[in-house]
Amino acid sequence: MTTNAELFQRRNAAVVRGVGHATPISAARALNAEIWDVEGKRYVDFAGGIAVVNTGHCHPKVIAAVQAQMANFTHTCFQVLMYEPYIELAEKLNALAPISGPLKSVFFTTGAEATENAVKIARAATGRSGVISFTGAFHGRTVMASAMTGKVVPYKKGLGPVLPEVWHLPFPVAQHGVTVEDSLKALSFLFKADVDPSRVAAIIIEPVQGEGGFYDVPAELMRALRRVCDEHGIVLIADEVQTGFGRTGKMFAMEHFDVEADLICVAKSLAGGFPLSGVIGRAPIMDAADPGGLGGTYAGNPLACAAALAVLEVFKEEKLLERSNAIGARIKARLETLSRRNDLLPIAGIRGLGGMVAFEIVKSRGAYDPDADATKKVTQKAYENGLVLLSCGVNANVIRILVPLTASDAIVDEGLDVLETALAAA
């Protein structure tokens, strides 16, 4: 039998050091919210491949859709020979997206491709080049996406200069001492000191920061950004790569606001584990790029499009938006109970929209003193006891829970039991 340790040794010899790992586990198979490693050990999955399998691992409807498409063809390149699953998926997402007016969509492969192409589209539509994003943001690891990402380590350190004309505003988080007023004041300073708004093509923002710590955008800030974009002809881009497709209790997190973005970036749970991303947006903006300016050899792969169509059916049939809210409420109620325990590590800042839940590990109750070391120990104790758990946050002290929305209450409770054990052991 191959062991996790043997595979990790082979990985170190064959795979680059720059790809990191949250655990030393090698998966052998998975089903819904459970994973088995190569040694036969079972885990409850609270990571979901980083919010990718909202419909669970190997959902039978998704697998059946992909198998049916495989029997026809696996690839033609949409730019060479178009196919119906791509077109049908665009039609469905255009109807679902919370943006008024005629919409169009385009598909790619990764989340970074989605954010990069959203910027390309905004630049084509405005004739401008500047981009504004936020501290703590994560938009991907490619050149433009990493430039927009608001964190140096590990996404920029040692990787050379980032692209010019990308500016960051402080993201408002009460625990970090940053208010909405601070963010807007920084924007005003930016327009006075560094760039005229007439040179800015886009403002990009996650409705809930993912890697940054699961902080949702204050409604006041989202409304202010919409006003600024309208005043200056700037395209407002919502990066919903992690928040999209039910994770926050709505199909798109932007539905929590009384504000519409111009473009929405999607990926992760769009295709239930198959690589697919896209940009949905206002038709006049989306059509600004010339033919050939957008696309990719594998972009909008037919297998992934078939999977995505099945994912949308699963959401409707299994009422996964309602389930997302129920799971989130269940997790937060348990965390509130754990936060009152003196025999566990101190936790604070319990938060989350729908099933996108997080909390912070601190050194002492009643004070904001992030404990990154203890957080690392919790994730380690978790996987040692059968729970896949991820951390995040600019201070590396946030535990995030991204359990598949198809998980049963029993599986969710089992995972929370292991989390409790980890908080005690760490």
Side-chain angles (χ1 to χ4, degrees):
M1 178 184 70
T2 302
T3 66
N4 288 312
E6 288 170 346
L7 280 174
F8 201 74
Q9 191 173 34
R10 287 170 57 189
R11 172 259 179 272
N12 286 337
V15 181
V16 297
R17 190 173 64 92
V19 177
H21 294 278
T23 75
I25 300 165
S26 293
R29 64 186 180 93
L31 185 64
N32 200 355
E34 300 170 272
I35 298 175
W36 289 263
D37 69 12
V38 292
E39 298 173 11
K41 183 176 178 179
R42 172 184 166 276
Y43 302 83
V44 173
D45 185 8
F46 269 21
I50 314 183
V52 166
V53 288
N54 286 354
T55 51
H57 293 280
C58 298
H59 192 288
K61 188 151 194 166
V62 175
I63 298 300
V66 174
Q67 289 173 334
Q69 178 58 46
M70 285 179 66
N72 295 326
F73 61 90
T74 61
H75 175 77
T76 65
C77 182
F78 189 72
Q79 296 99 280
V80 177
L81 296 169
M82 71 181 81
Y83 36 87
E84 188 174 6
Y86 187 118
I87 298 167
E88 183 181 356
L89 181 60
E91 291 169 340
K92 290 186 180 296
L93 292 182
N94 294 342
L96 285 170
I99 304 174
S100 58
L103 305 185
K104 289 194 175 183
S105 292
V106 61
F107 298 118
F108 306 102
T109 308
T110 68
E113 283 184 272
T115 59
E116 291 235 358
N117 278 278
V119 170
K120 287 170 61 176
I121 292 166
R123 285 176 165 177
T126 62
R128 308 170 182 180
S129 53
V131 179
I132 297 172
S133 61
F134 287 82
T135 58
F138 180 80
H139 298 295
R141 291 180 174 87
T142 50
V143 176
M144 171 55 77
S146 62
M148 296 188 295
T149 292
K151 188 176 181 182
V152 172
V153 180
Y155 308 117
K156 303 179 188 183
K157 183 181 178 182
L159 300 178
V162 297
L163 290 178
E165 294 195 285
V166 177
W167 297 274
H168 292 89
L169 302 178
F171 187 84
V173 178
Q175 297 98 306
H176 302 167
V178 180
T179 66
V180 170
E181 184 180 359
D182 293 331
S183 300
L184 295 177
K185 186 180 293 185
L187 178 60
S188 178
F189 288 159
L190 179 69
F191 284 161
K192 291 176 181 177
D194 290 317
V195 59
D196 188 87
S198 65
R199 281 181 51 209
V200 177
I203 296 176
I204 185 168
I205 189 167
E206 300 163 279
V208 181
Q209 285 202 333
E211 297 295 320
F214 280 33
Y215 300 107
D216 54 296
V217 175
E220 179 187 355
L221 176 61
M222 195 68 85
R223 287 192 291 267
L225 293 179
R226 182 70 271 175
R227 288 194 298 270
V228 168
C229 288
D230 290 341
E231 180 181 355
H232 298 291
I234 298 169
V235 176
L236 180 60
I237 304 172
D239 179 350
E240 293 236 31
V241 167
Q242 188 162 166
T243 58
F245 301 96
R247 181 44 59 183
T248 68
K250 296 190 181 287
M251 189 60 78
F252 298 93
M254 284 301 294
E255 295 177 62
H256 291 284
F257 302 93
D258 57 350
V259 168
E260 294 182 2
D262 297 306
L263 306 178
I264 296 177
C265 301
V266 293
K268 289 192 181 288
S269 274
L270 167 59
F274 290 83
L276 183 66
S277 67
V279 181
I280 314 161
R282 302 188 192 278
I285 298 174
M286 294 291 288
D287 273 340
D290 291 332
L294 305 175
T297 302
Y298 297 104
N301 173 269
L303 301 180
C305 287
L309 290 168
V311 163
L312 296 180
E313 291 179 7
V314 171
F315 262 90
K316 186 176 181 179
E317 293 171 1
E318 300 186 16
K319 297 180 171 58
L320 291 188
L321 298 182
E322 293 91 333
R323 181 61 184 155
S324 178
N325 287 309
I327 282 179
R330 190 179 194 89
I331 293 171
K332 284 184 282 188
R334 179 71 175 273
L335 292 175
E336 290 290 350
T337 299
L338 296 180
S339 71
R340 296 190 287 270
R341 295 259 303 268
N342 292 322
D343 58 331
L344 304 177
L345 281 174
I347 67 175
I350 299 165
R351 56 186 176 271
L353 296 173
M356 191 171 182
V357 179
F359 64 93
E360 310 209 13
I361 294 179
V362 293
K363 295 177 181 178
S364 57
R365 287 175 172 81
Y368 186 69
D369 43 3
D371 197 335
D373 291 337
T375 303
K376 188 173 183 179
K377 290 177 183 176
V378 169
T379 58
Q380 178 178 338
K381 293 296 181 182
Y383 74 71
E384 288 174 356
N385 288 280
L387 175 68
V388 181
L389 190 68
L390 297 176
S391 62
C392 65
V394 294
N395 294 312
N397 75 311
V398 177
I399 296 291
R400 51 176 162 171
I401 299 177
L402 292 163
V403 63
L405 306 180
T406 48
S408 67
D409 286 348
I411 288 289
V412 172
D413 290 344
E414 181 184 351
L416 292 171
D417 289 342
V418 178
L419 174 60
E420 179 181 334
T421 299
L423 289 169

